[in-house]
Amino acid sequence: MALFTFRRKEDAPATGALEGFLSGYSIEVMPRTAEKVEDFRAILPKGTRVYIAHIEGTPIEDMVASARRINGEGFDVMPHFPARIIPDKATLADWIARYRGEANVTQALLLGGGVNTPAGDFDSSMQMIETGLFDGFTRLHVAGHPEGNRDIDKDGGDAILLKALKWKQAFADRSDADMAIATQFCFEADPVIAWANRLAAEGIRLPIHIGIAGPAKLQTLIKFAIACGVGPSLRVLQKRAMDVTKLLLPYEPTEVLEGLAAHKAATPGFGIEQVHFFPLGGIKTNAQWVTENGGASGVPAAATA
């Protein structure tokens, strides 16, 4: 039985720019949130890439089981490899072997990870890349921070972040893996546009998969935004919180996506390639929003079978 009615709201038709911008979107889950989805084919379009976030303390067995299940339902799986929670090269090799052997995984998101003190040998995604253990993967994504990251650039700038992205661009130039930048979520289009243009000016040509927070309660988004270090665009949520007429309404990402979609349509060479959703209000809620607002880009696989 289908979980949703796969028809857009008549009062919120997808614009051509938004429909095109949402094409091929990806979405993020964790093992515990994936368990709540009876069948990903009922909510996600065919070919959707599903990232599996690896939170510190999650057993690798749970991660691999989720990857195997989602892959078995026909979706590309991209597990996180957070450098600072991996104690050594042997552990990294074991994780990769499990993912490849048990879940047919050939894609990975490599990132530093959200802990301050490394568990062992690795502190950055670059160190994991240098092991050579990801040779043979078809796609590698790395992290991007449109509004900076004070855990890395403590002065509030972006010098260290830019240096790292230039290193990753150079690696992409000599690698046969498809690479892209998957970013932290933002709530405002203009800072994202300025950041993407800055990367291009610095010679960083990796395609950008822009992080977008899916529909959720305002209080939930503010909590996650503060915890994840979202910067200037947090003011969008703060302004909304001060509007009594909107305070109790769930946030939807329509405005930021339409702004980015319009810019992409007017500037075809713009570096953002795809949208990556963080379903902070729930994966079913996020998927249903895309189904209702994304036109052909949101039609679930089960509806086209």
Side-chain angles (χ1 to χ4, degrees), residues 147-167:
E147 298 181 358
N149 184 329
R150 285 188 174 270
D151 289 338
I152 298 173
D153 279 289
K154 299 186 184 302
D155 63 356
D158 62 2
I160 297 174
L161 289 168
L162 277 177
K163 183 178 180 180
L165 285 176
K166 288 180 179 180
W167 187 98

Side-chain angles (χ1 to χ4, degrees), residues 84-163:
R84 297 187 197 112
I85 73 169
I86 301 173
D88 49 42
K89 184 176 179 180
T91 301
L92 177 60
D94 176 62
W95 287 16
I96 291 172
R98 292 190 189 200
Y99 278 125
R100 298 196 72 167
E102 300 176 36
N104 196 33
V105 167
T106 60
Q107 305 186 24
L109 171 63
L110 311 181
L111 64 167
V115 297
N116 293 324
T117 304
D121 296 342
F122 299 115
D123 184 54
S124 71
S125 59
M126 292 177 288
Q127 291 170 332
M128 292 193 294
I129 290 172
E130 287 177 326
T131 67
L133 292 172
F134 290 96
D135 291 355
F137 271 57
T138 60
R139 178 170 283 274
L140 297 175
H141 287 186
V142 295
H145 304 86
E147 298 181 358
N149 184 329
R150 285 188 174 270
D151 289 338
I152 298 173
D153 279 289
K154 299 186 184 302
D155 63 356
D158 62 2
I160 297 174
L161 289 168
L162 277 177
K163 183 178 180 180

